[in-house]
């Protein structure tokens, strides 16, 4: 028996080693697991866009099943209107824009555009209908003109210039050493976050889509830049269905509806005035941001007088 137990122990040892090895491999695959790519259904049709009314119906979503991000979100962006999503950092605001653009699919509920479920149409036709101004625009290592024309490759030079004016970036580009022929991107001139965002807006002006998603840059912008971006956006979003993912509240004052997201649910909704009057989460966010802006301005004044 003694003779037999040694090899059995040994086998047990080997077995445990192998099990441990397998667990490590399983964990490794978990780590390597890439987001399941969203694919077109075999019967996917083209999105037929009229004026681009958006509806979120009881949308549930999580990146990781253990941590739900959206827990039943319903709202409408009526055709031609602007709806802004606000809320604390990490509330799931940008996730909403990624779901509309269909980087991911909802796990429950549905998102529709003019009554068509975004999962039932081709991604190409969906994305053709949407102009996305992301938080951080990646520019091609090419000229400014190329980067703007990307919105509609057939655009003429005059149209590129006009789009830059509408996006409030024309004066900046004209002042560059080589104007619209200046090379930008990683290997060219580095643009600031606000400048890149205005290039992205110019692109969108050329694309002229019925639907616009603006995922505002999180980084703080100076007041002048902020006003310029706001003016650019007011022009492009006119008569377009617009979803604004707002990290700064100054951009949402004129939205037709403001949705306040908290812990994956809609905590409050209304206009800027009605939400301030309600004196809830939005009002406290607003007061905090205003105090921060005032403190910053005071600091600047002190520095300037030095
Ligand atoms: P902020 O105002 O800080 O930009 P947000 O409200 O836009 O925040 P989201 O970007 O929607 O927040 O992220 C919501 C939550 O989901 C965060 O906790 C974030 O860490 C998590 N998250 C975002 N993207 C992923 C991802 N690709 N994989 C896993 N978790 C993610």
């Amino acid at each position: 028996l003694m003779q037999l137990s040694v090899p059995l122990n040994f086998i047990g040892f080997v077995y445990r080693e192998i099990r441990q090895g397998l667990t490590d491999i399983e964990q490794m695959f978990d780590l390597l697991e890439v987001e399941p790519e969203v694919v077109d259904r075999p019967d996917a049709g083209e999105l037929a866009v009229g004026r681009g009314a958006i509806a979120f119906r009881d949308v549930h979503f999580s990146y990781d099943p253990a941590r739900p991000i959206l827990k039943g979100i319903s709202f409408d962006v009526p055709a031609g209107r602007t709806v802004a999503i606000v809320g604390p950092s990490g509330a799931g605001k940008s996730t909403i824009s990624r779901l509309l653009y269909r980087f991911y699919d909802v796990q429950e509920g549905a998102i529709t555009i003019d009554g068509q479920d975004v999962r039932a149409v081709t991604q190409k036709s969906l994305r053709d209908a949407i102009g996305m101004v992301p938080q951080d625009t990646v520019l091609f290592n090419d000229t400014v003109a190329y980067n703007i024309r990307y919105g509609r490759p057939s655009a003429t030079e005059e149209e590129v210039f006009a789009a830059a004016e509408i996006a409030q970036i024309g004066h900046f580009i004209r002042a560059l050493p080589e104007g619209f022929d200046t090379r930008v991107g990683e290997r060219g001139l580095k643009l600031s976050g606000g400048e890149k965002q205005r290039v992205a807006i110019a692109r969108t002006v050329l694309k002229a889509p019925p639907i616009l998603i603006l995922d505002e840059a999180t980084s703080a912008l100076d007041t002048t830049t902020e006003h310029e971006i706001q003016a650019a956006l007011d022009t492009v979003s006119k008569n377009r269905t617009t979803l604004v993912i707002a990290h700064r509240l100054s951009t949402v004052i004129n939205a037709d509806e403001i949705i306040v997201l908290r812990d994956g649910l809609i905590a409050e909704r209304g206009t800027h005035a009605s939400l301030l009057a309600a004196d809830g989460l939005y009002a406290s966010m607003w007061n905090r941001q205003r105090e921060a802006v005032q403190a910053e301005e005071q600091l600047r004044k002190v520095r300037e007088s030095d």
Side-chain angles (χ1 to χ4, degrees), residues 35 63 67 69 88-95 98 104 135 218 247:
E35 301 293 342
Y63 295 97
R67 204 172 144 241
I69 304 288
S89 176
K93 303 183 290 295
S94 298
T95 301
R98 291 179 207 128
Y104 303 94
Q135 277 197 22
T218 354
H247 301 276

Side-chain angles (χ1 to χ4, degrees), residues 247-250 253 272 276 279 282-298:
H247 301 276
R248 295 184 300 276
L249 299 184
S250 52
I253 298 174
H272 175 72
L276 280 190
D279 201 19
Y282 181 84
S284 71
M285 284 169 59
W286 175 258
N287 289 330
R288 228 178 311 137
Q289 238 175 51
R290 213 178 36 183
E291 281 162 19
V293 169
Q294 281 168 353
E296 242 169 70
E297 272 166 15
Q298 249 161 18

Side-chain angles (χ1 to χ4, degrees), residues 36 71 103 109 145 160 177 183 191 225 236 299:
K71 304 174 190 167
F103 283 135
V160 170
R183 295 185 77 86
L191 301 186
T225 309
V236 265
L299 197 66

